[in-house]
Amino acid sequence: MARRLMAGGHQVVAWDQRGDAVQALAREGATAAASLDDFVARLVAPRTIWVMVPAGAATEDTVAAAARRLDRGDAIVDGGNTYFKDDVRRARELAAREIEYMDVGTSGGIWGAERGYCLMVGGSPAAFARLTPIFRTLAPPEGFLHCGPAGAGHFVKMIHNGIEYGLMQSYAEGFDILRHASHEALPDEQRYDLDLAAIAEVWRRGSVISSWLLDLAAIALAKDPGLAQFTGHVEDSGEGRWTVATAMEEEVSATVLTAALYARFRSRTAHTFADKVLSALRAQFGGHVEPPR
């Protein structure tokens, strides 16, 4: 994301716990900071800090530490996958000090540097207007939206990821059925030795189920038709759980999304080829590495 901003003409100050990551960006034109204090000192008012760390304690601690060093008119952007109720609380706390807080659901994974990132933004209209040049640079054309007040951006991203669970599960189960079509227990007239990589490729061309996730499945299957590098253990990073919990609060039926979440839980005790497809898709779009089991 920093590289995309620099390519768009923005000045970027970088700080991370990994010094090598900071130095790599510095060699490409970013200003390197040696500490959080140094980082804030190098920013020009009104300062904008974009936080991109895992949800939970890491985000909570980072936002709090950054906020202690900011002044009236500055802004903090949380681009991670935070629970939207935490955004509402943080925005209220920072508003008392007249510091803007923006929650920006960010989709695009490791491919976003080239393709652009779909951005779902929550926060005040004034802060959104001021930061629009940043959003415009990071996103593809028409790829960002002010969704509403604090929490709205991550709420929309939460549902986006819940839908993603369901789509991924559908592809995974379909490819699992295709793979088992060669099972020796089936009658001869129902037994097929199918090329899953070729099927994924043909589905990409004109099919009603074509999508970027299908593109990624085709890439993974072309590299390794048996997906041997994956155990079938599938993690979840929280958004699916929050989506299901929100559906329960709203008394809205979410049968597919709930089943997809539960399928991930089940994958941690018994692995199928469908689970390997899910792991392969997570690795393709997000660089996620499942734990060895």
Side-chain angles (χ1 to χ4, degrees):
M1 295 178 77
R3 290 185 175 98
R4 191 171 174 92
L5 286 170
M6 289 189 292
H10 297 274
Q11 294 181 325
V12 173
V13 179
W15 179 72
D16 189 83
Q17 292 181 343
R18 286 181 49 201
D20 58 334
V22 175
Q23 292 306 314
L25 287 177
R27 289 192 291 271
E28 299 177 37
T31 299
S35 66
L36 186 55
D37 285 326
D38 183 39
F39 170 74
V40 174
R42 291 176 180 273
L43 294 172
V44 177
R47 293 166 292 196
T48 300
I49 296 179
W50 188 298
V51 177
M52 205 74 183
V53 296
T59 295
E60 196 73 43
D61 294 345
T62 303
V63 170
R68 287 195 295 270
R69 293 162 169 83
L70 297 183
D71 299 316
R72 174 184 178 184
D74 294 337
I76 294 179
V77 178
D78 176 13
N81 285 320
T82 289
Y83 187 37
F84 73 96
K85 292 183 180 180
D86 291 334
D87 292 313
V88 175
R89 170 179 50 80
R90 290 186 198 129
R92 186 184 303 117
E93 293 169 352
L94 293 179
R97 296 180 48 202
E98 298 186 64
I99 296 172
E100 293 282 3
Y101 179 87
M102 305 291 286
D103 53 284
V104 180
T106 304
S107 182
I110 57 179
W111 297 74
E114 177 184 350
R115 293 166 55 101
Y117 302 88
C118 176
L119 304 176
M120 295 143 269
V121 185
S124 74
F128 176 76
R130 180 169 78 82
L131 299 181
T132 287
I134 294 175
F135 303 142
R136 184 174 290 118
T137 299
L138 288 172
E142 301 182 23
F144 67 98
L145 176 70
H146 183 230
C147 299
H154 278 148
F155 185 90
V156 174
K157 178 58 161 47
M158 176 184 73
I159 304 305
H160 165 284
N161 283 25
I163 293 170
E164 178 186 292
Y165 277 40
L167 291 172
M168 291 171 65
Q169 188 66 31
S170 295
Y171 285 124
E173 292 179 7
F175 280 113
D176 205 6
I177 296 169
L178 292 172
R179 181 173 180 269
H180 281 84
S182 61
H183 198 283
E184 60 185 15
L186 293 172
D188 290 343
E189 65 273 15
Q190 192 180 331
R191 195 182 305 168
Y192 303 104
D193 185 13
L194 301 171
D195 185 335
L196 302 191
I199 291 169
E201 282 293 334
V202 77
W203 280 351
R204 294 176 61 202
R205 292 162 171 79
S207 165
V208 296
I209 62 167
S210 60
S211 72
W212 185 42
L213 284 173
L214 182 60
D215 295 344
L216 299 178
I219 292 171
L221 289 167
K223 290 180 178 178
D224 178 9
L227 302 180
Q229 65 176 302
F230 301 101
T231 65
H233 178 109
V234 185
E235 288 289 341
D236 70 285
S237 51
E239 303 92 325
R241 301 181 188 217
W242 302 335
T243 298
V244 171
T246 301
M248 294 173 64
E249 291 175 353
E250 297 178 355
E251 298 185 7
V252 172
S253 175
T255 52
V256 172
L257 308 190
T258 303
L261 174 64
Y262 286 1
R264 295 196 179 194
F265 296 161
R266 193 266 315 136
S267 79
R268 297 162 200 175
T269 58
H271 308 320
T272 66
F273 186 75
D275 299 328
K276 293 186 176 186
V277 173
L278 290 173
S279 291
L281 287 172
R282 295 184 82 237
Q284 284 291 329
F285 70 70
H288 302 290
V289 178
E290 310 288 9
R293 295 296 168 99

